[in-house]
């Protein structure tokens, strides 16, 4: 069952990690110039990555271990 509390906790953890990975990677490519960095774009792209992570978790619930956001069976 993918509509359990544990499923959404796991999916949110993965989305948060993805957001952080996008954010750090994109910020690093701009040499961390905080005065000229386009913060809205940085956050927007990072949120887009988090949404893709949620979508992947939803699709994975039907493929891997049933009721979890895991794509691969353990």
């Amino acid at each position: 069952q993918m509509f359990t509390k544990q499923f959404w906790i796991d999916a949110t953890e993965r989305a948060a990690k993805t957001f952080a990975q996008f954010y750090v990677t994109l910020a690093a490519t701009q040499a961390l110039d905080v005065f000229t960095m386009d913060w809205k774009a940085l956050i927007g792209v990072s949120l887009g990555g988090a949404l893709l992570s949620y979508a992947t978790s939803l699709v994975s619930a039907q493929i891997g271990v049933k009721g979890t956001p895991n794509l691969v069976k353990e």
Side-chain angles (χ1 to χ4, degrees):
Q1 180 75 277
M2 78 173 144
F3 295 109
T4 64
K5 181 178 178 180
Q6 190 59 49
F7 175 88
W8 290 107
I9 289 171
D10 293 343
T12 298
E13 177 185 347
R14 291 165 190 250
K17 289 177 182 178
T18 301
F19 177 90
Q21 291 166 347
F22 267 77
Y23 188 89
V24 169
T25 301
L26 293 171
T29 62
Q30 294 187 17
L32 294 175
D33 186 354
V34 297
F35 297 108
T36 60
M37 189 176 291
D38 185 354
W39 291 99
K40 287 182 183 179
L42 179 63
I43 291 171
V45 171
S46 298
L47 285 173
L51 288 174
L52 287 173
S53 176
Y54 273 118
T56 302
S57 292
L58 288 170
V59 170
S60 299
Q62 303 302 319
I63 297 172
V65 178
K66 298 294 183 196
T68 71
N70 297 332
L71 181 61
V72 180
K73 293 185 179 187
E74 297 174 11

